[in-house]
Amino acid sequence: MDQFRDPSQPPYNQRYLTIEELEERLHRSGDPISVSKVLDAYEMAQSVHVNQVRNDGTPYFWHSARTARIVMDELHAFDTDLLISALLHDVLEDSPTITKGVLEYNFGSYVAYVVDMLTKDLAKAKADPDAVDIAHAERLRMASEDCLIIKLAARLDNMRCLTFNLKRNPIVYITNTLDRYVPIAEGTSNARLHYLATAIRSEANTFLG
């Protein structure tokens, strides 16, 4: 997707949402009362992912921040719980100390529910990743649409990073995304989910040529 990018800008996978950019967006379009709460989520996610590096060599946290940026900049969604959940969508998988109870205490029961629904059992995934992913997709089919919005926003970000060697088997990642997650979104009447599904299909077509 970066073949026609502005040469003055870094490649897509080297860009992310800074806390200053997040704060500016929230003051402009979000709920001013909840700014500090969203910034707290940003800092929690940054702390949880601080030592993680993705296969493309970039900090893992940048993915979480870009997922929130997609929600704001492309879906024009500024719901506080949705943004917090986008920032924190991987923390239960990646932290030995952050629990669903911790999320509920700090950010409320709905955020805790959304992040929990987005969390895979990584131990089981190592043994049988395909079965876990299929079960995860079916779980999201029954979840709130916010869960699916964040899932697809995260998948869209990953699709945009495939040209930077993010995934060891990008074809499998694309196929699983198109077969398991995109149809759920397309089966809803949610315009934001339809946008994400279309964007993911476009990225897949671009990558596959």
Side-chain angles (χ1 to χ4, degrees):
M1 71 161 288
D2 267 19
Q3 58 179 324
F4 303 115
R5 72 177 178 87
D6 182 347
S8 67
Q9 296 293 319
Y12 178 86
N13 71 326
Q14 295 179 27
R15 288 175 258 154
Y16 75 108
L17 179 75
T18 68
I19 196 167
E20 292 81 12
E21 290 168 338
L22 173 59
E23 186 171 11
E24 187 275 330
R25 283 165 170 78
L26 293 172
H27 281 299
R28 175 162 40 90
S29 302
D31 176 7
I33 298 176
S34 300
V35 170
S36 62
K37 197 174 179 182
V38 180
L39 297 182
D40 285 346
Y42 183 101
E43 292 176 345
M44 177 183 282
Q46 191 172 43
S47 176
V48 166
H49 300 303
V50 65
N51 293 318
Q52 288 183 281
V53 178
R54 305 229 289 176
N55 289 339
D56 62 354
T58 61
Y60 191 95
F61 171 70
W62 290 4
H63 163 68
S64 303
R66 285 195 303 262
T67 299
R69 186 177 68 187
I70 288 171
V71 170
M72 289 186 290
D73 291 3
E74 298 183 47
L75 303 183
H76 310 293
F78 287 86
D79 176 78
T80 299
D81 286 345
L82 184 64
L83 293 178
I84 291 172
S85 299
L87 289 164
L88 298 175
H89 73 271
D90 279 332
V91 299
L92 292 182
E93 291 181 355
D94 296 331
S95 172
T97 57
I98 302 296
T99 64
K100 185 180 178 181
V102 169
L103 294 180
E104 185 168 0
Y105 178 81
N106 285 279
F107 301 107
S109 59
Y110 186 66
V111 166
Y113 156 78
V114 172
V115 177
D116 183 57
M117 292 299 294
L118 292 165
T119 300
K120 291 181 181 178
D121 186 327
L122 296 185
K124 289 183 179 179
K126 287 182 180 179
D128 194 344
D130 205 44
V132 168
D133 193 58
I134 291 171
H136 185 64
E138 287 305 307
R139 188 183 188 197
L140 291 178
R141 187 187 298 275
M142 306 304 294
S144 76
E145 289 185 346
D146 286 341
C147 299
L148 195 57
I149 284 172
I150 295 169
K151 183 67 180 184
L152 264 65
R155 286 257 162 173
L156 176 58
D157 178 66
N158 284 339
M159 296 281 281
R160 290 171 173 171
C161 294
L162 291 180
T163 55
F164 306 104
N165 301 313
L166 176 67
K167 298 293 181 180
R168 293 184 179 88
N169 196 330
I171 303 303
V172 169
Y173 188 83
I174 291 171
T175 300
N176 290 348
T177 301
L178 295 180
D179 289 351
R180 297 172 185 172
Y181 295 99
V182 168
I184 303 174
E186 291 174 336
T188 73
S189 59
N190 188 306
R192 286 168 175 158
L193 286 173
H194 287 184
Y195 170 89
L196 291 169
T198 300
I200 286 171
R201 288 196 181 277
S202 177
E203 292 296 332
N205 291 337
T206 299
F207 185 85
L208 297 174

